[in-house]
Amino acid sequence: MSGLEVKKPRACILGIGGTELSNWEKGFFREADPYGFILFARNVEDHNQIRTLTDQLRDVVGKNNVPILVDQEGGRVMRLKPPHWRKIPAAGVFGELVDKSPEDAREAAYINARLMAMDLREAGFNTTCAPVLDLRFPGMSDVVGDRSYGADVARVVVLASAVAAGLLDGGIAPIIKHIPGHGRAAVDSHKDLPIVSATRAELSELDFAPFRQMKDVMAAMSAHLLFTAIDDQRPGTVSTTIINDVIRGDIGFENLLISDDLSMEALGGSIASRTHECLSAGCDIALHCNGKRTEMEEVVSMTPLLSGAALLRSQNFTNQISSFKIDKPSSSQLTDWRMRLADLLAPVWQAEDTGT
């Protein structure tokens, strides 16, 4: 050891306002040094623009392995979209294919993730907030809906594992979500707080099971749900009981825990208080997505530099990103993958527009 203190990033992931960094954002991010960034459709125009932007983000914090996240699941949740990128089926499509051929469904999920990873790498991303491990329960809010691989634990795990493997093989770090399970949300957590009344035994047997079986994935995103049988006062993201007893205990997840977006209306109080509460409860990283200046200033004001177990988990995650050594697939390999994927999905889905 040289004795030099390694600079520790701040325990937050932040969004940005537009398609390029403003002078204020450059100065703010340089000073705040957030652990990572997350981009949305508002930040994306085309291939050249998004690559320039992701390169700018690396430059402003001076780290090539800074996590740069995007919600690229497929279906309704796609930030890189046609016509510049291919249309990607929703998770539910792969779940539907399981009924016709489980092996085809698993192969299709892997190939799709491998192609998605290539798109993301070319755009300068190294992380995607996928796969979704939430179960699909009848009569619940469409906030999950076809973002889920299905209602059966084994089906979800088989397909989500194939997706995680395809992402990793393509040089993209997966973040599983929404731990410990968002499937029973009867309302959209972007707008209101879902209240779940299932028993602890039911939740452990069903909702928590996919996460338990995929607990070795290096990062997970929390769920803004109130589980009345476990903590009837505080949603999961800000509940010490949920994080310690369920996520770290029952599920056994020991890796990096990132909050879901703190600007969602499921959480009450100011942005500053939400930030403090999620980190105090046991989240390692506070996630804030909307890029609003005053809110980001609140987040940063309440976010310490990473330390202790959270620092170790964050370093393990960035080490995974640094370890990716990916050769770009040949054009013939890409053609083979695309043709094979189209054949596998043909019984359940056709892409009207495959993008470029």
Side-chain angles (χ1 to χ4, degrees):
M1 296 293 289
S2 66
L4 294 174
E5 180 70 18
V6 176
K7 188 180 181 187
K8 298 171 184 175
R10 197 169 297 278
C12 58
I13 292 172
L14 301 175
I16 72 168
T19 55
E20 60 184 27
L21 288 180
S22 68
N23 287 333
W24 177 82
E25 285 170 329
K26 289 177 185 176
F28 180 70
F29 293 146
R30 195 174 289 119
E31 179 68 24
D33 193 28
Y35 176 67
F37 300 98
I38 185 166
L39 301 184
F40 286 81
R42 67 174 182 272
N43 308 124
V44 179
E45 287 178 344
D46 57 35
H47 293 272
N48 291 336
Q49 172 271 330
I50 193 60
R51 185 64 205 223
T52 298
L53 179 56
T54 51
D55 285 346
Q56 274 190 319
L57 291 171
R58 288 184 180 84
D59 182 61
V60 82
V61 293
K63 289 192 282 278
N64 283 330
N65 63 351
V66 60
I68 303 181
L69 288 61
V70 65
D71 284 305
Q72 189 79 346
E73 298 173 13
R76 289 175 289 142
V77 182
M78 286 177 58
R79 314 308 184 199
L80 309 184
K81 303 176 182 180
H84 298 291
W85 291 273
R86 70 188 180 94
K87 185 175 180 181
I88 303 171
V93 171
F94 299 95
E96 191 179 341
L97 186 57
V98 170
D99 293 326
K100 301 180 183 299
S101 171
E103 282 305 309
D104 284 357
R106 183 157 66 175
E107 183 184 356
Y110 175 86
I111 294 173
N112 183 67
R114 192 70 176 76
L115 289 168
M116 188 164 72
M118 191 199 69
D119 289 342
L120 294 172
R121 290 280 300 191
E122 287 183 344
F125 294 98
N126 50 34
T127 309
T128 186
C129 305
V132 171
L133 270 59
D134 306 321
L135 297 179
R136 188 170 190 173
F137 290 95
M140 294 296 107
S141 166
D142 274 345
V143 69
V144 172
D146 65 0
R147 296 169 66 192
S148 168
Y149 294 99
D152 176 69
V153 172
R155 176 177 306 203
V156 169
V157 171
V158 164
L159 294 175
S161 296
V163 170
L167 292 170
L168 288 166
D169 287 349
I172 295 293
I175 298 177
I176 55 175
K177 60 187 186 187
H178 305 81
I179 198 168
H182 208 302
R184 295 183 194 264
V187 297
D188 184 346
S189 52
H190 293 85
K191 301 171 183 175
D192 205 350
L193 174 62
I195 298 174
V196 175
S197 58
T199 67
R200 172 75 181 255
E202 288 173 316
L203 292 166
S204 185
E205 181 183 355
L206 293 173
D207 307 56
F208 304 165
F211 297 94
R212 194 179 296 121
Q213 293 188 45
M214 291 185 67
K215 65 183 180 183
D216 291 335
V217 175
M218 296 300 292
M221 182 179 291
S222 70
H224 296 336
L225 271 73
L226 189 74
F227 298 96
T228 59
I230 304 170
D231 183 342
D232 62 3
Q233 299 297 312
R234 303 175 75 79
T237 298
V238 293
S239 167
T240 304
T241 305
I242 294 292
I243 292 174
N244 288 344
D245 294 359
V246 175
I247 295 175
R248 301 298 190 195
D250 186 346
I251 290 171
F253 180 76
E254 297 178 354
N255 296 320
L256 189 69
L257 181 61
I258 302 167
S259 79
D260 203 346
D261 181 14
L262 295 177
S263 60
M264 290 164 62
E265 294 308 314
L267 301 179
S270 67
I271 295 296
S273 68
R274 297 176 192 186
T275 304
H276 173 73
E277 287 173 8
C278 85
L279 295 172
S280 296
C283 287
D284 298 314
I285 303 287
L287 173 68
H288 183 268
C289 295
N290 65 26
K292 293 180 180 178
R293 176 173 176 168
T294 54
E295 292 190 13
M296 289 198 294
E297 289 173 334
E298 285 188 62
V299 170
V300 167
S301 74
M302 300 304 294
T303 307
L305 302 185
L306 280 158
S307 63
L311 176 63
L312 291 174
R313 294 182 191 118
S314 71
Q315 289 172 332
N316 288 338
F317 188 69
T318 50
N319 287 343
Q320 180 181 59
I321 290 169
S322 300
S323 73
F324 292 135
K325 300 288 189 290
I326 304 301
D327 294 325
K328 183 177 177 179
S330 66
S331 57
S332 61
Q333 174 69 82
L334 287 173
T335 300
D336 289 348
W337 277 339
R338 287 170 177 150
M339 290 177 63
R340 177 62 177 158
L341 182 60
D343 287 345
L344 290 167
L345 290 174
V348 292
W349 189 81
Q350 286 83 36
E352 301 86 11
D353 183 350
T354 57
T356 53

